[in-house]
Amino acid sequence: MRKILVAEDDILLATIHEITLSEAGFDVLVCRDGEQALEAMDAFDPDLLITDFSMPRMNGGELIRATRRRRGARTAVLLASARDEHLLKDDERGDARLEKPISPARLLGAVRDLEARWGRAA
């Protein structure tokens, strides 16, 4: 996984994600909401989408569904959210979930786990 699209409306958290992943060698694009992420998806062509659930304009569940319709399984999805697991619908879960609060080490570990599952080594 080389290219990671981050959809996160919390500016501080988005910046921490961007720095963590960039320093680990990933090409990172940060979007502030789901609509912006969806608009950027085709041009950026991410291997991985990391999305929050609660965002303005388009929430993470809607973004995950739209990503699956548009890209199928070409883009892995990591849901990074504090939303209770039992409130998520099956098509809102993504391929992996990381519960907030998220440290840089936990984020990088989750990305590396997805890399191992998808066979897309960084």
Side-chain angles (χ1 to χ4, degrees), residues 8-32:
E8 173 60 64
D9 63 324
D10 180 314
I11 294 170
L12 179 60
L13 190 54
T15 301
I16 292 169
H17 288 356
E18 182 176 25
I19 291 168
T20 300
L21 296 168
S22 294
E23 287 181 352
F26 297 99
D27 184 8
V28 181
L29 176 64
V30 175
C31 296
R32 301 293 183 225

Side-chain angles (χ1 to χ4, degrees), residues 74-115:
R74 285 188 322 199
T75 299
V77 178
L78 173 61
L79 177 61
S81 178
R83 187 167 180 87
D84 287 338
E85 181 78 23
H86 74 280
L87 297 176
L88 296 170
K89 297 175 185 170
D90 286 342
D91 61 355
E92 296 176 334
R93 295 180 189 278
D95 300 302
R97 183 170 182 270
L98 192 57
E99 189 171 337
K100 288 184 177 180
I102 301 168
S103 69
R106 285 183 59 226
L107 175 66
L108 197 52
V111 170
R112 297 286 188 214
D113 286 347
L114 279 169
E115 283 182 319

